[in-house]
């Protein structure tokens, strides 16, 4: 890709194949960090983010009119990778530079030979003032029309009416139906992974200490927790690191394991975009009386069938 000379573009639309694999750092002609791939390189098994970075690099500069990108990818680029992994760092770079404008979740079974969920990423470097510092998530999974004839796994399509509804959600932005659209600050996708330690205990059940009198951690009891930037309603973003993490630890961890402590030297920063979390709808279980009534009906049907067999 680096060998190609491609002009800077105003608008780009792309859908890389789900199984596209990057050529690797040496074959791409770069060693991270460098150039368009400075934020990070994705896993060798998934090159979608490689395409994403390439397209962002090819957007025209804001002073020249700016550029916009639309790219369809599966769910992997939204959440793959732990904190400070390359995929997470790529998301961090995109969000901290305010390049992600909206992400639209599409219906399943939209493409030939694959029924996996897919998403449209809309990126730009000249956001409107009301969209700056924010990302709009749109749940378009229910806006589809059944095809008369399936094409492999593809048995759904987005009709003109479906498309108009999704576009209207995008246009309405913060006034859109909250069941299908969420407007979130860029930092609301960030989190810290903290390492929680507990002490080794001797035969008498007392903590084992080092030469300085500090308790030695028990590696078998070591655990990690992901603390959202926005925990407790915080709007401080990365700057709230110490206060938010301590508040989370005191509220969510300490009451259950009083002898635990945080290893502040191992804290990592990550970013992920979870559609499931933001659009989750709790469906309460059916009342037991209703379930019992259904079971009784089924048992009665089975008994009737058995009586007919015995005749």
């Amino acid at each position: 890709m680096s060998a190609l000379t491609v002009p800077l573009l105003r608008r780009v639309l792309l859908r890389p194949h789900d199984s596209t694999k990057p050529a690797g750092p040496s074959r791409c002609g770069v060693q991270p960090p460098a150039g368009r791939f400075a934020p990070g390189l994705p896993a060798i098994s998934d090159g979608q983010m490689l395409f994403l970075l390439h397209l962002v690099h090819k957007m025209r500069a804001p002073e020249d009119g700016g550029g916009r990108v639309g790219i369809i990818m599966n769910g992997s680029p939204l959440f793959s990778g732990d904190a400070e992994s390359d995929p997470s760092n790529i998301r961090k770079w995109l969000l901290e530079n305010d390049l992600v404008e909206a992400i639209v979740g599409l219906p399943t079974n939209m493409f030939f030979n694959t029924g996996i969920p897919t998403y449209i990423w809309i990126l730009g470097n000249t956001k409107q003032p009301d969209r700056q510092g924010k990302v709009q998530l749109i749940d378009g999974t229910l806006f589809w029309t059944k095809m008369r004839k399936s094409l492999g796994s593809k048995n759904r399509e987005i009709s003109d009416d479906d498309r108009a509804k999704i576009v209207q959600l995008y246009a309405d932005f913060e006034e859109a139906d909250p069941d299908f659209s969420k407007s979130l600050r860029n930092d609301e996708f960030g989190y810290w992974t903290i390492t929680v330690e507990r002490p080794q205990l001797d035969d008498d059940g007392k903590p084992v200490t080092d030469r300085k009198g500090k308790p030695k951690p028990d590696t078998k009891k070591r655990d990690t927790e992901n603390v959202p930037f926005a925990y407790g309603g915080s709007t401080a973003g990365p700057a709230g690191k110490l206060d938010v993490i301590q508040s989370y630890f005191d509220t969510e961890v300490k009451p259950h394991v009083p002898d635990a402590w945080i290893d502040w030297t191992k804290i990592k920063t990550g970013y992920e975009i979870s559609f499931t979390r933001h659009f989750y709808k709790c469906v309460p279980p059916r009342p037991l009386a209703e379930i019992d009534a259904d079971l009784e009906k089924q048992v009665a049907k089975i008994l009737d069938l058995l009586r007919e067999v015995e005749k």
Side-chain angles (χ1 to χ4, degrees):
M1 240 186 302
S2 60
L4 300 177
T5 301
V6 181
L8 298 183
L9 305 170
R10 184 179 180 187
R11 290 187 178 89
V12 182
L13 296 174
L14 179 69
R15 181 186 182 267
H17 194 278
D18 295 325
S19 62
T20 299
K21 297 183 179 180
S26 59
R27 290 177 61 187
C28 288
V30 297
Q31 292 291 341
R36 74 197 73 177
F37 307 119
L41 286 174
I44 195 69
S45 60
D46 187 355
Q48 296 176 99
M49 294 186 112
L50 197 71
F51 278 93
L52 184 61
L53 288 175
H54 179 68
L55 293 182
V56 169
H57 180 74
K58 288 303 177 183
M59 289 193 300
R60 292 195 311 192
E63 57 269 25
D64 295 327
R68 302 186 78 194
V69 166
I71 180 170
I72 301 177
M73 301 187 287
N74 64 30
S76 175
L78 294 171
F79 51 76
S80 64
D82 296 329
E84 296 189 5
S85 65
D86 277 3
S88 178
N89 287 340
I90 292 172
R91 288 189 293 272
K92 175 183 178 181
W93 181 81
L94 291 169
L95 290 164
E96 289 186 346
N97 285 278
D98 203 17
L99 294 170
V100 184
E101 187 171 311
I103 302 177
V104 183
L106 297 176
T108 54
N109 298 347
M110 283 289 296
F111 297 98
F112 182 78
N113 233 18
T114 177
I116 62 175
T118 50
Y119 302 82
I120 302 177
W121 289 56
I122 302 172
L123 299 95
N125 54 13
T126 53
K127 283 186 178 181
Q128 295 296 318
D130 61 330
R131 288 183 176 270
Q132 290 176 4
K134 301 174 183 177
V135 176
Q136 183 181 12
L137 301 183
I138 298 175
D139 181 7
T141 56
L142 298 180
F143 300 106
W144 55 272
T145 301
K146 189 171 181 63
M147 296 175 60
R148 293 182 179 178
K149 184 178 181 180
S150 299
L151 297 173
S153 297
K154 178 178 172 60
N155 57 16
R156 297 174 176 178
E157 61 184 2
I158 297 178
S159 66
D160 290 342
D161 184 53
D162 297 324
R163 188 180 300 108
K165 291 176 181 177
I166 295 174
V167 171
Q168 190 60 52
L169 288 169
Y170 171 81
D172 290 343
F173 190 36
E174 295 187 318
E175 302 300 322
D177 185 340
D179 285 340
F180 299 101
S181 176
K182 308 288 184 184
S183 173
L184 302 165
R185 300 188 316 275
N186 292 342
D187 60 72
E188 290 186 79
F189 300 104
Y191 66 92
W192 297 284
T193 295
I194 65 172
T195 298
V196 178
E197 302 282 15
R198 296 181 65 187
Q200 295 181 26
L201 302 177
D202 61 22
D203 294 338
D204 297 326
K206 297 180 180 179
V208 178
T209 59
D210 59 19
R211 293 180 180 179
K212 296 181 179 180
K214 295 181 179 180
K216 291 184 177 181
D218 187 337
T219 57
K220 295 180 180 179
K221 297 179 181 178
R222 181 174 292 158
D223 197 7
T224 59
E225 298 270 342
N226 287 342
V227 183
F229 284 5
Y231 176 78
S234 174
T235 59
K241 178 179 179 179
L242 298 180
D243 291 339
V244 174
I245 290 177
Q246 191 64 57
S247 174
Y248 178 93
F249 180 77
D250 292 342
T251 305
E252 309 291 344
V253 180
K254 198 73 172 174
H256 307 287
V257 279
D259 60 353
W261 72 90
I262 302 170
D263 186 341
W264 291 91
T265 66
K266 295 180 180 178
I267 293 175
K268 296 182 178 181
T269 301
Y271 281 78
E272 66 176 7
I273 302 170
S274 173
F275 264 70
T276 302
R277 182 189 308 137
H278 295 296
F279 290 103
Y280 175 75
K281 295 183 178 72
C282 180
V283 180
R286 292 192 301 159
L288 288 176
E290 184 179 320
I291 296 174
D292 286 340
D294 285 346
L295 288 174
E296 289 177 3
K297 290 179 182 178
Q298 296 303 320
V299 170
K301 289 181 180 179
I302 293 172
L303 291 175
D304 289 341
L305 291 173
L306 290 174
R307 291 190 189 99
E308 289 183 10
V309 172
E310 291 174 353
K311 290 180 181 180

